[in-house]
Amino acid sequence: MLRTLTTALGILCALSAQLALAVDMKPVQVAAHSWYVMGKAGMASSANEGFMSNAGFVITDDSVVVFDALGTPALGEQLIAEIRKLTTKPIQRLIVSHYHADHYYGTQAFKAIGAEVWAHRRGREALESDGAQARLAQRKADLFPFVDDNTRLLPADRWLEGNTDFEKGGLHFRITYVGPAHAPDDIIMEVVEDRVIFAGDMLFRGRVPFVGDADTSHWLLALDHLIDAHPAVVVPGHGPASTEPQSDLTLTRDYLKYVRESMGKAVSELKSFDEAYADTDWSRWSRLPAFREANRANAYNVFLQMEKGSLR
Ligand SMILES: [Zn+2]
């Protein structure tokens, strides 16, 4: 009886482990050495197993560098398994774009295979904040069993002070600190020889971005930096890679500029937010995906920021 139970349990465990590997994750090559996997559209849920953000990786002559760890430990493991299908070279370094749950909860899978984790030092504040614990509780509720008591919020092994260049297996990498923009600790990674930039959440392609409590003035500077770098491909944190980065980057930049200009004007005219929102012509953006979900909250956040700025 006990044996039957143990066997049944064993099968169940094997089944749930398989279930956790059930998402459709297919690496896409964007340049000679650069690849990414693309999460599903929408919010993190048990249905998509939390696979709603992107991660990238670069196969150099002697090793693999990964950009972002995805949103659960199981997804981190699956990404490693996908990389293993392409190369047996050691996965030596994981760069975390910013400490938002969907980009770093898979970190423990990379630590387990000995990868060294790099992130910007301001990620540490985010990681140690009450907000990080609240987010974990919410993710455990929304993403069980993919996020559970075994999910650990891990710090980087090396907290970067600012821009950092390095070379690996014949390729040159440029990490640029572009925060505080979408998050306090935003970094982007350029693979020089491939002319690819992994941009984290700096670019939301073909849709209205999610502003949250982002610092939109720094975000605009980051977008200018990306535009000036003339990459051939930009891999965003969500959605498909952009092979026409100039127009995609310009769209996000123009949107942020427009929201800042219109809300800034309203603040200087001492309008209420409701008035300001109603008086703004949104027709250029209203047909873009995520407009309905994100635009009013974006405008409100920018309005509050501009109001604070005007009091200084
Ligand atoms: Zn984010």
Side-chain angles (χ1 to χ4, degrees):
M1 176 64 189
L2 193 63
R3 237 178 96 186
T4 331
L5 249 177
T6 328
T7 321
L9 258 175
I11 293 172
L12 261 177
C13 288
L15 263 177
S16 71
Q18 256 174 18
L19 271 179
L21 288 177
V23 299
D24 176 21
M25 185 188 287
K26 186 100 197 68
V28 176
Q29 187 167 21
V30 292
H33 314 86
S34 300
W35 300 71
Y36 81 112
V37 296
M38 186 178 88
K40 313 266 179 285
M43 311 296 274
S45 68
S46 292
N48 60 30
E49 299 184 18
F51 187 37
M52 37 64 80
S53 58
N54 300 346
F57 57 94
V58 183
I59 304 175
T60 79
D61 276 352
D62 61 16
S63 58
V64 181
V65 175
V66 178
F67 189 79
D68 276 347
L70 300 173
T72 70
L75 289 171
E77 281 168 22
Q78 190 174 348
L79 175 56
I80 291 168
E82 292 297 335
I83 296 171
R84 284 285 162 260
K85 290 180 193 168
L86 296 165
T87 178
T88 54
K89 291 170 188 169
I91 298 171
Q92 284 184 344
R93 191 163 292 164
L94 166 69
I95 314 288
V96 176
S97 67
H98 63 297
Y99 274 76
H100 280 177
D102 48 335
H103 298 268
Y104 83 98
Y105 276 25
T107 299
Q108 68 197 62
F110 291 89
K111 289 291 290 175
I113 58 163
E116 183 185 45
V117 183
W118 287 15
H120 187 264
R121 64 175 172 75
R122 290 206 58 187
R124 190 178 210 160
E125 299 156 28
L127 189 65
E128 289 168 359
S129 69
D130 294 344
Q133 289 305 321
R135 173 65 74 196
L136 178 61
Q138 178 247 323
R139 285 295 211 246
K140 279 184 189 172
D142 290 354
L143 282 180
F144 184 81
F146 308 107
V147 174
D148 63 10
D149 288 341
N150 298 316
T151 304
R152 285 169 296 142
L153 306 189
L154 293 179
D157 299 304
R158 180 171 165 197
W159 293 109
L160 307 176
E161 285 297 322
N163 301 347
T164 307
D165 295 353
F166 67 92
E167 188 259 327
K168 268 253 172 243
L171 295 181
H172 295 84
F173 295 79
R174 263 188 212 143
I175 296 176
T176 307
Y177 174 56
V178 292
H182 166 78
D185 51 329
D186 295 300
I187 51 178
I188 60 174
M189 181 174 85
E190 181 178 1
V191 186
V192 177
E193 285 77 4
D194 276 6
R195 293 186 59 221
V196 171
I197 294 183
F198 293 96
D201 285 352
M202 286 299 100
L203 172 67
F204 287 71
R205 200 190 146 201
R207 50 158 282 186
V208 166
F210 167 68
V211 171
D213 53 4
D215 180 330
T216 47
S217 65
H218 277 111
W219 192 345
L220 283 171
L221 290 176
L223 288 166
D224 284 339
H225 173 88
L226 279 161
I227 291 166
D228 290 347
H230 284 284
V233 180
V234 174
V235 178
H238 301 266
S242 170
T243 48
E244 284 171 22
Q246 298 299 318
S247 67
D248 286 328
L249 291 163
T250 310
L251 181 81
T252 305
R253 184 189 61 182
D254 289 353
Y255 170 79
L256 292 176
K257 263 194 182 158
Y258 186 74
V259 178
R260 280 181 63 85
E261 272 161 24
S262 34
M263 292 303 114
K265 186 163 165 281
V267 166
S268 71
E269 289 165 358
L270 303 176
K271 283 186 183 173
S272 71
F273 172 70
D274 283 333
E275 245 181 305
Y277 192 81
D279 290 352
T280 304
D281 175 7
W282 298 108
S283 58
R284 186 176 163 199
W285 317 102
S286 56
R287 271 183 296 274
L288 285 181
F291 176 84
R292 204 183 308 219
E293 294 84 351
N295 190 61
R296 193 180 169 92
N298 288 348
Y300 186 58
N301 288 332
V302 171
F303 183 87
L304 293 181
Q305 278 174 19
M306 306 297 271
E307 212 168 35
K308 248 197 235 160
S310 76
L311 294 176
R312 266 192 219 127

